[in-house]
């Protein structure tokens, strides 16, 4: 019988069949050849919407894959990887609709491991790394890149000492180019939780410069503030809310030429940062008229939020909310929250986007939230 034709663009399923159908004395040769292919191409192997995770370890017994597509295996949701025949090659195939970028790891006999053949690695924000893959035509949007031939704002960085909380935190204030050019003008202010992260990972200053230059948003100040104890402060904590509203906002209004009224003030964040942003604005609607949340952990303190929504409130708040389709724990609370906003007839833009709980997804849609909340048409 003639040898099987080699593929110009090797895909997983034909190779899997070759190994499974090989004569016993040919299995090792076929496997060795496939491993050379994997070392050349890298993993996972992507064929259209199909993502083939492949892991080789003859000593492994139980191998699963976990990532943003299955909520990092919470509630025993890890995907079991099956052996190819009697070899030490394990695989799992995932169908991913739409263009996206997703992070993952392998769990090998109870130990978390990066995909050794995947060259795409990213800081996971908790002191380690994840591997990731991209499906479809997914790329960072152009507004994230610095444009040299436009006017640039500047970042005013300082440490803020809180008398209320008895701690200090870093603050980064984006001042648009017009702030220094027009000394008599006052500017709206947008408070951003996890501020240093948004500045570094989401390239907030580049986005602001580009959107202001294109006249897609008005010139605004962006007050990016870091947490000190994130898990406590951002979990709808009253002490942090009071610090932000009664101490920090007045200090910013005193230090900069802000337009110090609710219509010119907003607050935003991602994950727990989105939760505290919603809680702060609902608690103090006289201070904030705009909220943006990306993958907000609304479910974490849903009762607190709904108690505020159920209260009589004459001052409507404009909400932008987005969540990734690969965040199953986050979507139901968003649907309930958006439904409550609609019942109150408050303006809201809600998007379920093909992505997970990561900065690549969040920064790709900063333009959306800025345009909705601060676009020139929304004056």
């Amino acid at each position: 019988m003639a040898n099987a034709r080699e593929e110009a663009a090797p895909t997983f399923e034909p190779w899997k069949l070759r190994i499974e159908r090989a004569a016993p004395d040919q299995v090792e040769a076929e496997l060795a050849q496939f491993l050379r292919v994997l070392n050349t191409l890298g993993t996972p192997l992507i064929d259209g919407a199909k993502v083939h995770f492949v892991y080789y370890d003859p000593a492994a017994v139980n191998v699963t894959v976990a990532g943003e597509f299955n909520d990092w295996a919470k509630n025993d949701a890890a995907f079991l990887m099956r052996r190819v025949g009697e070899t030490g090659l394990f695989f799992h195939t995932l169908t991913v609709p739409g263009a996206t970028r997703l992070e993952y790891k392998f769990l090998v006999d109870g130990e978390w491991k990066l995909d050794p053949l995947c060259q795409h690695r990213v800081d996971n924000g908790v002191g380690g790394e994840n591997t990731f893959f991209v499906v479809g035509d997914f790329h960072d949007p152009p507004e994230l890149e610095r444009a040299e031939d436009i006017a640039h704002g500047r970042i005013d960085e300082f440490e803020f000492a809180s008398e209320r909380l008895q701690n200090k935190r870093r603050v980064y204030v984006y001042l648009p180019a017009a702030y220094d050019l027009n000394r008599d003008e006052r500017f709206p202010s947008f408070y951003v939780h996890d501020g240093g992260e948004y500045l570094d990972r989401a390239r907030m200053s580049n986005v602001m410069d580009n959107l202001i230059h294109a006249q897609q948003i008005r010139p605004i100040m962006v007050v990016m503030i870091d947490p000190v104890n994130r898990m406590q402060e951002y979990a709808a904590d009253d002490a942090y809310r009071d610090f932000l509203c009664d101490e920090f906002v007045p200090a910013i209004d005193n230090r900069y030429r802000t337009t110090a009224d609710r219509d010119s003030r907003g607050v935003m964040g991602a994950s727990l940062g989105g939760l505290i942003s919603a809680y702060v604005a609902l608690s103090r609607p006289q201070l904030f008229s705009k909220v943006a949340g990306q993958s907000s952990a609304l479910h974490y303190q849903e009762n607190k939020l709904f108690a505020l929504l159920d209260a009589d409130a004459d001052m409507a708040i404009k909400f932008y909310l987005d969540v990734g389709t690969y965040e199953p724990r986050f979507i139901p609370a968003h649907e309930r929250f958006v439904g409550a906003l609609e019942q109150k007839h408050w303006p809201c833009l809600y998007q379920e986007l093909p992505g997970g709980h990561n900065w690549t997804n969040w920064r790709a849609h900063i333009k959306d939230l800025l345009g909705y909340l601060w676009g020139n048409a929304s004056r």
Side-chain angles (χ1 to χ4, degrees), residues 324-337:
T325 53
Y326 294 98
E327 299 180 278
R329 289 185 303 150
F330 288 69
I331 292 175
H334 275 78
E335 292 175 340
R336 290 189 291 269
F337 189 78

Side-chain angles (χ1 to χ4, degrees), residues 9 36 40 46-47 58 192 229 236 247 301 317 353 360 363 366:
R36 286 194 290 270
T40 300
I46 298 174
D47 183 13
V192 179
N229 184 339
E247 183 180 10
Q301 292 287 352
I317 299 173
L353 303 163
T360 303
R363 70 189 180 208
I366 294 177

